[in-house]
Amino acid sequence: METATLTPIVQRGLRARERGGPFVPGEGRTVIEMADLSVYYGDFRAVRDISLKVEEHLITAFIGPSGCGKTTVLRCLNRMNDLIEIARVEGRVSYHGVDLYGKGIDPVEVRRRIGMVFQKPNPFPKSIYDNVSFGPKIAGIEGDMDEIVELSLRKAALWDEVKDRLKESGMSLSGGQQQRLCIARCIAVQPDVILMDEPCSALDPIATARIEDLMQELKNDYSIVIVTHNMQQAARVSDMTAFFTAEVAESGDRRTGVLVEYDTTEKIFTNPSEEGTENYVTGRFG
Amino acid sequence: MTQAVLPPQIPIAEALKGDPSRRRRENFIRRLFLGAAAVSVLISAAIVLSLVGRAVTFITNVDLGALWTSGWFPRRGLFDIKTIVVGTLIVSLIAMVVAIPLGLGCAVYLSEYARPRVRRLLKPILEILAGIPSVVLGFFAITFISPQIVQRFFSGSSLFNMMAAGIGVGVLVTPLIASISEDAMRAVPASLREAAYGVGARKRTTTVKVVFPAAISGIVASIIVGVSRAIGETMVVAIAAGATGGSIFQLDPSQPGQTMTAAMTSLAIGSDQVKGGEFTFESLFFVGFLLFAITLALNIMSERFVRRVREKY
Amino acid sequence: MAISPSTQDVVLARLKGRRVDLKGVLFEALLLLALLLSLSILITLMADVLRGGLGVLTERGFGFLTAGLATFSADTAGVKQGIVGSMLTLVFVVLLAFPLGIGAAVYLEEYAPDTTFTRFINVNIRNLAGVPSIVYGLLGLALFVEVFRPLTGGTTAISGGLTLAVLVLPIVVITAAEALRAVPDSIREAGFGVGATRWEVVRSHVLPSAAPGILTGTVLSISRALGETAPLLLVGAITGYIATGGQSLVEQMRSSFTTLPTVVYSYARLPSQDFREVTSAAIIVLLAVILLVNAIAIVLRNRYERKW
Ligand SMILES: Nc1ncnc2c1ncn2[C@@H]1O[C@H](COP(=O)(O)OP(=O)(O)O)[C@@H](O)[C@H]1O
Ligand SMILES: [Mg+2]
């Protein structure tokens, strides 16, 4: 089975589809678990006491007003926050039970398994081919590079559009195509989890719809965490939804993000247990 | 594709520790770059050490009375500091009289008045002027500036004189002032200009009353850098100010004079010919240290001003 | 009902403004004058040098470039040693100042944590850039000519080259750091996001993106090194009459030397009219080289100027 070259390295198990249909919340294993996670930027506590579990082969959405710390939490999950000098993490983030901030853990290795797609499409200023092949090359992934590139682009639903122009710059693509290229680049290193930070916020509705469809496809192979401030999007694509909000901090005038409610998307949007969630999802801001 | 088999689980905790050889390489490269960055510190240390040590040798061995006499004649043991310091000041002052109006004029025109096309054409030309070696300007000072300008307006001036040298240095400093202050003015946000136009101000009023004050820190910085550059400028003065070997204390800019830098070159060039006293040569390092200290102080000052611009926008 | 003509006239007159803004016109004229004056200095300088030196160049042509130093007969004076010496010293700039300078910039922009030490290095480099070039000559004299005499051979092209390398190092660092700063962080994040190490991100994405800017800086520093005179006088360039008769490169490096601008200086100090012309001719050669190098830098910059 040739696609084996692209199945996640740690998870190289059964694809969801082969096990007979999509996963439903509560059935799968926990991929990522946060326990009492707090993040500080310098002295400022941006989010506090976040605890939630991300299940495999599901799409987990983070929603909430802007500035409540969704991006901050997301960037903790693959140690992207290490790149911000003043950022500091408290609490525990574990991945298949392994503490990601534990001693001896190499953030580079973490990011290879937990990939990321950013808010603004950010292809490298290089050819489409090089954009995709960079990751596998540095990760030392064996196999025919042409094949890996093709498979990744196919999985990102971009192959048909770019197969004749692989040598052209990734920057020459449209915004939606660029974002799918970024997704292809991400899958090419065979991650286990894909983190997406408002991946559609810079795209038009048609490009957005394509990416949403793609996410449903990708779910069969990967676990996805997506940050979005578009509630319809969360309702459309996600299986689980976490609602964050910002509350005034104990000290000072800045606001600290907290997790208000985490449940199945259906529950969050139809019958939330918290009033704040209801106000938010129905458009009445508390 | 019948039955996919679950392969043995890779111990994730191990896998996440990464490849040790990759990490070692990473650390090695990081140290390499750190080493390159540290070289600059070594250079600074070397400059200070080589200057201070021998400047001290000079000052402890020279007869202190020789530092305040009638002129700078190192081979005769006369090291009148005021001759070369005042000479330097005169030349730098003349240079700034030339360079400040020219440099700021260019800067304001390029930043506020010139159309983009014109600017794209003129800017490189100014950069060419900035790239002309000072030895060339020194020659220009004695073949053109002195006979065609200085001697025409100041009859009785000698061919080699501080005025010609000063003008030459001014020409060198002009593009420097122009470029730094133009950057400062272009950094002033367009919204500020629009606000001024919005209340009906004219272009000149906007430039003088809004843009110029907003960019003043950068403009002051450019002038300080210019002064520092003028004080440290060597070749123009060495060629055009005359006074190879030595000079009496001189206040008249139409006459030959000696600056700190010119004094250093003539000492250095003559070094393997006639030597004066035992410590004559060490005076080179003493003057060098003086020059280093003065320009360093000026540069630190301008740095302060530049930082102020950065903080504002 | 039409607006009465008088109202229309008044409004029109108001909108046209008062009389011509005389002060404004005068102000702009003054600014333009400053610019034109600066440009005319450049033109006068070029014309002056061309008038003085073109005769020698057309008369002797290539012979001027291949003739050696001669301080007593202008007819046989040339710039050969200067050209050879300038090239020899540039070797050190390219081999030492470029890698060290770019390396330092990469450290400061990509690796360095924001510590007191880092800030100190940054300030230090900016101050080094402002140190007068003649002070670098003193450093070269004390360090390369005297302390390292066994290695450099004293007042040799090696000492001259090392001095120039040290002199342009801060320029290389500053321009390279600027080019690196212009690379948007999103590119770095993209690299880290697929599991690249710092060096992999820098090598594969940051450096290539910053290459045009870095290249421009290095070319400019070459032009700066080509024109420097004073520091080389201090490390003995003026006394050197470089041997150009078939020695090995190492022998040439370890013998006394001179460079193009120091040749100009030694001719400029000779009083006779003949030597005025030789000096002008030597200046034309020097300016041609420097302008060429500068032009390359300007073209590079305009060509690759990238807007992110
Ligand atoms: N790099 C940073 N440095 C300092 N503060 C930051 C940084 N990034 C985010 N913050 C602060 O953390 C809070 C949460 O930001 P973010 O996670 O981006 O929110 P969201 O993605 O939900 O809009 C905000 O108050 C923001 O100002
Ligand atoms: Mg965000």
Side-chain angles (χ1 to χ4, degrees), chain A residues 39-42 44-47 63-75 81 84-87 119 197-198 227 229 244 246 254-257:
Chain A
V39 187
Y40 296 79
Y41 291 113
F44 166 57
R45 194 184 202 180
V47 293
I63 61 169
S66 110
C68 68
K70 306 178 295 291
T71 300
T72 299
V73 172
L74 193 74
R75 288 170 62 101
N81 272 349
I84 299 168
E85 235 174 280
I86 54 170
Q119 190 162 355
D197 189 359
E198 302 193 26
V227 167
H229 61 209
F244 293 81
R254 300 198 58 178
R255 293 158 76 84
T256 296

Side-chain angles (χ1 to χ4, degrees), chain B residues 30-51:
Chain B
R30 177 197 193 86
R31 288 214 191 94
L32 224 55
F33 286 137
L34 173 62
V39 167
S40 76
V41 181
L42 287 184
I43 292 174
S44 304
I47 289 179
V48 172
L49 284 181
S50 58
L51 291 184

Side-chain angles (χ1 to χ4, degrees), chain C residues 116-290:
Chain C
T116 319
F117 178 65
T118 309
R119 256 172 275 164
F120 169 70
I121 295 186
N122 259 315
V123 170
N124 187 351
I125 286 173
R126 262 171 291 154
N127 282 329
L128 278 181
V131 171
S133 58
I134 193 167
V135 172
Y136 283 100
L138 280 181
L139 173 69
L141 177 60
L143 199 63
F144 304 134
V145 175
E146 295 180 359
V147 176
F148 290 127
R149 182 178 288 271
L151 296 173
T152 60
T155 55
T156 62
I158 300 181
S159 298
L162 289 173
T163 306
L164 287 182
V166 170
L167 187 145
V168 300
L169 183 68
I171 306 175
V172 178
V173 179
I174 290 171
T175 50
E178 225 163 76
L180 291 170
R181 255 199 307 279
V183 177
D185 265 341
S186 65
I187 290 192
R188 295 183 183 88
E189 291 202 323
F192 289 122
V194 292
T197 62
R198 180 72 67 171
W199 168 235
E200 285 156 357
V201 170
V202 168
R203 183 196 55 199
S204 304
H205 304 297
V206 180
L207 278 179
S209 296
I214 293 176
L215 199 62
T216 309
T218 54
V219 174
L220 281 179
S221 69
I222 286 188
S223 124
R224 170 81 190 269
L226 273 171
E228 276 300 340
T229 319
L232 295 179
L233 294 182
L234 265 70
V235 295
I238 195 68
T239 56
Y241 284 58
I242 208 164
T244 49
Q247 290 87 349
S248 74
L249 191 64
V250 177
E251 281 171 48
Q252 278 192 357
M253 291 269 191
R254 285 183 56 91
S255 61
S256 50
F257 78 112
T258 188
T259 63
L260 213 39
T262 48
V263 166
V264 169
Y265 178 57
S266 31
Y267 287 150
R269 296 205 306 159
L270 302 172
S272 88
Q273 181 58 36
D274 294 349
F275 271 105
R276 282 283 146 92
E277 286 169 8
V278 170
T279 312
S280 295
I283 287 178
I284 295 176
V285 176
L286 176 63
L287 282 184
V289 176
I290 287 182

Side-chain angles (χ1 to χ4, degrees), chain C residues 34-59:
Chain C
L35 191 67
L36 292 180
L37 211 57
S38 309
L39 299 186
S40 68
I41 294 172
L42 182 63
I43 293 167
T44 315
L45 187 150
M46 298 281 186
D48 193 55
V49 170
L50 284 179
R51 184 148 30 83
L54 218 48
V56 176
L57 280 183
T58 47
E59 202 175 296

Side-chain angles (χ1 to χ4, degrees), chain B residues 22 25-26 29 34 41 44 51 54 106 109 113 122 125 127-128 133 139-140 143 202 264 295 299 303, chain C residues 18 21 27 32 35 38-39 48 107 124 126 130 132 146 195 197-200 280 283 290-291 301:
Chain B
R22 197 178 179 196
R25 188 192 59 177
E26 197 62 25
I29 291 170
L34 173 62
V41 181
S44 304
L51 291 184
R54 298 177 72 168
C106 291
Y109 190 83
Y113 283 85
L122 292 182
I125 298 182
E127 281 167 344
I128 290 177
F139 183 70
F140 183 63
T143 55
R202 284 162 192 280
M264 287 166 74
T295 50
N299 290 337
E303 188 70 27
Chain C
R18 283 154 292 171
D21 177 20
F27 182 65
L32 194 58
L35 191 67
S38 309
L39 299 186
D48 193 55
Y107 181 77
N124 187 351
R126 262 171 291 154
E146 295 180 359
T197 62
R198 180 72 67 171
W199 168 235
E200 285 156 357
S280 295
I283 287 178
I290 287 182
L291 290 188
R301 194 189 47 203

Side-chain angles (χ1 to χ4, degrees), chain A residues 75 78 80 83 85 108-109 111-112 114-116 118 120 122-126 130 134-135 138-139 171 185-186 189, chain C residues 111-115 185-198 200-201 203-205 208-209 306 308:
Chain A
R75 288 170 62 101
N78 69 344
M80 225 38 196
L83 302 174
E85 235 174 280
V108 169
E109 207 54 46
R111 291 181 205 127
R112 167 155 139 35
I114 306 178
M116 190 152 204
F118 299 85
K120 213 173 135 257
N122 57 352
F124 300 124
K126 299 201 153 164
D130 289 347
F134 174 70
I138 54 160
M171 310 279 258
R185 179 177 70 190
C186 178
V189 289
Chain C
Y111 283 86
D114 186 21
T115 59
D185 265 341
S186 65
I187 290 192
R188 295 183 183 88
E189 291 202 323
F192 289 122
V194 292
T197 62
R198 180 72 67 171
E200 285 156 357
V201 170
R203 183 196 55 199
S204 304
H205 304 297
S209 296
R306 205 196 302 237
W308 295 99

Side-chain angles (χ1 to χ4, degrees), chain B residues 212-288:
Chain B
F212 211 79
I216 194 68
S217 298
I219 292 168
V220 172
S222 81
I223 292 174
I224 299 175
V225 169
V227 172
S228 157
R229 176 74 204 276
I231 289 177
E233 173 47 45
T234 307
M235 292 320 293
V236 175
V237 188
I239 295 174
T244 29
S247 166
I248 53 161
F249 183 70
Q250 182 59 266
L251 283 171
D252 180 358
S254 69
Q255 296 304 313
Q258 188 76 303
T259 65
M260 301 199 291
T261 53
M264 287 166 74
T265 40
S266 43
L267 262 170
I269 295 167
S271 60
D272 32 9
Q273 295 153 24
V274 214
K275 277 209 174 170
E278 201 184 336
F279 295 101
T280 305
F281 193 62
E282 307 299 308
S283 68
L284 187 60
F285 290 88
F286 175 69
V287 179

